[in-house]
Amino acid sequence: QVQVVESGGGSVQPGESLRLSCATSGFTWEYYVVVWFRQAPGKEREGLSCIGSRDVNTYYSDSVKGRFTISRDNTNNTVFLQMNSLKPEDTAVYYCATDRHNGYSPCYYNMHTVGYWGKGTQVTVSS
């Protein structure tokens, strides 16, 4: 079955960086999309970024644009989220999710329909 495993979370100070990884496996799709979300205590889940079948097919929410970068290693079916200039408001549990993709539509079309989720990784930004 499809498996999604996040890693790379931790505790950092404001201004520092972290790189999250999302390892996916167990599927035979030719194309797939990966979406990163986060959820802070007492807040709604927020879609942050996604990447489609080609690296140029990416999306960032306004809250992370210019600070976070999504990329993928197709050889290992792993997607990364490089998070720079972290702020206390970035503190949350970060989740990634994946699903089949048609290979050409913008990845954000899939942001709210992805069906396979990881268990999340905690990111804490505090001085």
Side-chain angles (χ1 to χ4, degrees):
Q1 69 271 23
V2 178
Q3 293 188 326
V4 181
V5 180
E6 305 96 336
S7 61
S11 295
V12 296
Q13 295 188 341
E16 294 186 339
S17 300
L18 281 174
R19 189 175 83 153
L20 305 183
S21 299
C22 175
T24 62
S25 62
F27 55 81
T28 57
W29 310 317
E30 181 177 7
Y31 303 113
Y32 65 98
V33 62
V34 174
V35 185
W36 282 100
F37 298 86
R38 69 185 178 191
Q39 188 162 21
K43 294 188 176 181
E44 293 188 357
R45 186 175 64 203
E46 176 186 10
L48 301 177
S49 180
C50 63
I51 188 164
S53 304
R54 298 172 178 80
D55 289 353
V56 296
N57 184 359
T58 60
Y59 164 84
Y60 299 94
S61 68
D62 288 342
S63 60
V64 304
K65 193 177 298 181
R67 299 189 298 124
F68 291 11
T69 303
I70 195 168
S71 61
R72 66 192 297 162
D73 175 357
N74 288 326
T75 301
N76 296 305
N77 289 336
T78 299
V79 169
F80 304 99
L81 187 68
Q82 177 67 43
M83 307 188 298
N84 297 330
S85 303
L86 284 163
K87 305 174 182 179
E89 51 263 43
D90 293 318
T91 295
V93 178
Y94 284 68
Y95 301 89
C96 71
T98 190
D99 216 320
R100 186 192 305 266
H101 187 232
N102 60 21
Y104 56 84
S105 63
C107 65
Y108 59 79
Y109 285 8
N110 298 76
M111 286 192 77
H112 301 293
T113 60
V114 283
Y116 301 91
W117 290 73
K119 295 182 178 180
T121 185
Q122 175 71 45
V123 171
T124 302
V125 185
S126 174
S127 55

